[in-house]
Amino acid sequence: GAGVSQSPSNKVTEKGKDVELRCDPISGHTALYWYRQSLGQGLEFLIYFQGNSAPDKSGLPSDRFSAERTGGSVSTLTIQRTQQEDSAVYLCASSPAPSGRMETQYFGPGTRLLVL
Amino acid sequence: AQSVAQPEDQVNVAEGNPLTVKCTYSVSGNPYLFWYVQYPNRGLQFLLKYITGDNLVKGSYGFEAEFNKSQTSFHLKKPSALVSDSALYFCAVRDGNSGYSTLTFGKGTMLLVSP
């Protein structure tokens, strides 16, 4: 079956512009996560969606970052007024309906964002 | 709070030799532990996880990991390394007893297997 897909795979933008990154989770997965991977760093948690519950936004680094998930499926991560320090790989992951906290997260290939 | 440490930025091993990639963790409750691998320009691929049961967990591509509660470690191992195992490896932990729902990842360890 299809895995997690993300688009675009690469995005180059100018400082100050807004960008939208898209994630299509695995069909039927109710949980969706966004992470940021900067060069030489580990994965930084950004935001978590679970079903119809309010998202966990505790990892968003500033109010320039926001995300939504429409219809419990596709998610869009938006970065407004991009800065050079936003350059990173943005990874999306999904996991099946939760049976506790043991569910494996399945990752997409990521979107590589470069802010000039 | 939950945290994970991968003390080695890079591990070098010759093909055919055993490999170990180290991971230690800290959680207040029971740990759920994961290993992921990332090949260049790719997303993370799940290798294995420990939830409960046997301390030795077997996963994909011949990898295994040993959960050691007293040492709070979950080291990744493989008896005989392949050049194709060269990649970035991430350990992750989730506290099974807390309301926090996400994984905390280590900074990653680059594994280089030489021919």
Side-chain angles (χ1 to χ4, degrees):
Chain A
V4 178
S5 61
Q6 293 186 244
S7 60
S9 54
N10 291 280
K11 177 71 177 179
V12 180
T13 190
E14 294 179 349
K15 178 181 173 181
K17 295 286 182 65
D18 297 352
V19 295
E20 286 189 350
L21 312 180
R22 177 187 168 104
C23 172
D24 283 86
I26 294 172
S27 178
H29 282 194
T30 61
L32 187 147
Y33 311 77
W34 283 99
Y35 294 88
R36 179 168 69 176
Q37 183 179 19
S38 302
L39 188 64
Q41 302 295 314
L43 270 70
E44 174 188 12
F45 164 73
L46 296 177
I47 188 169
Y48 160 62
F49 295 90
Q50 174 52 57
N52 295 321
S53 302
D56 176 356
K57 304 179 181 180
S58 60
L60 295 178
S62 77
D63 59 8
R64 296 187 295 105
F65 287 72
S66 63
E68 62 178 21
R69 188 179 185 192
T70 54
S73 180
V74 171
S75 177
T76 302
L77 177 69
T78 301
I79 308 173
Q80 296 178 311
R81 305 181 302 281
T82 52
Q83 303 295 313
Q84 289 181 333
E85 60 263 29
D86 299 334
S87 297
V89 177
Y90 290 82
L91 293 165
C92 175
S94 70
S95 65
S99 57
R101 299 170 187 84
M102 61 186 72
E103 293 295 345
T104 300
Q105 294 182 24
Y106 296 90
F107 284 78
T111 294
R112 191 173 301 272
L113 175 66
L114 178 61
V115 182
L116 300 177
Chain B
Q2 56 190 46
S3 65
V4 73
Q6 294 181 242
E8 303 154 316
D9 291 336
Q10 184 168 307
V11 170
N12 296 300
V13 64
E15 188 173 34
N17 283 358
L19 69 87
T20 298
V21 183
K22 296 179 180 178
C23 171
T24 58
Y25 65 90
S26 176
V27 296
S28 56
N30 292 321
Y32 295 162
L33 294 154
F34 300 77
W35 275 101
Y36 285 83
V37 59
Q38 185 178 35
Y39 296 100
N41 300 314
R42 303 280 296 275
L44 273 68
Q45 295 181 30
F46 169 73
L47 276 179
L48 51 80
K49 66 182 177 184
Y50 170 84
I51 304 299
T52 186
D54 289 341
N55 290 341
L56 186 63
V57 178
K58 294 189 182 297
S60 306
Y61 313 120
F63 284 93
E64 57 190 27
E66 185 169 12
F67 171 64
N68 187 317
K69 187 173 183 178
S70 63
Q71 297 184 4
T72 61
S73 67
F74 189 57
H75 300 333
L76 182 70
K77 299 181 180 183
K78 187 173 182 181
S80 179
L82 299 173
V83 173
S84 57
D85 292 331
S86 298
L88 186 59
Y89 290 81
F90 290 97
C91 181
V93 68
R94 176 185 286 155
D95 188 334
N97 292 50
S98 80
Y100 197 71
S101 304
T102 65
L103 289 174
T104 298
F105 285 83
K107 290 188 179 296
T109 298
M110 179 64 71
L111 173 66
L112 293 177
V113 181
S114 55

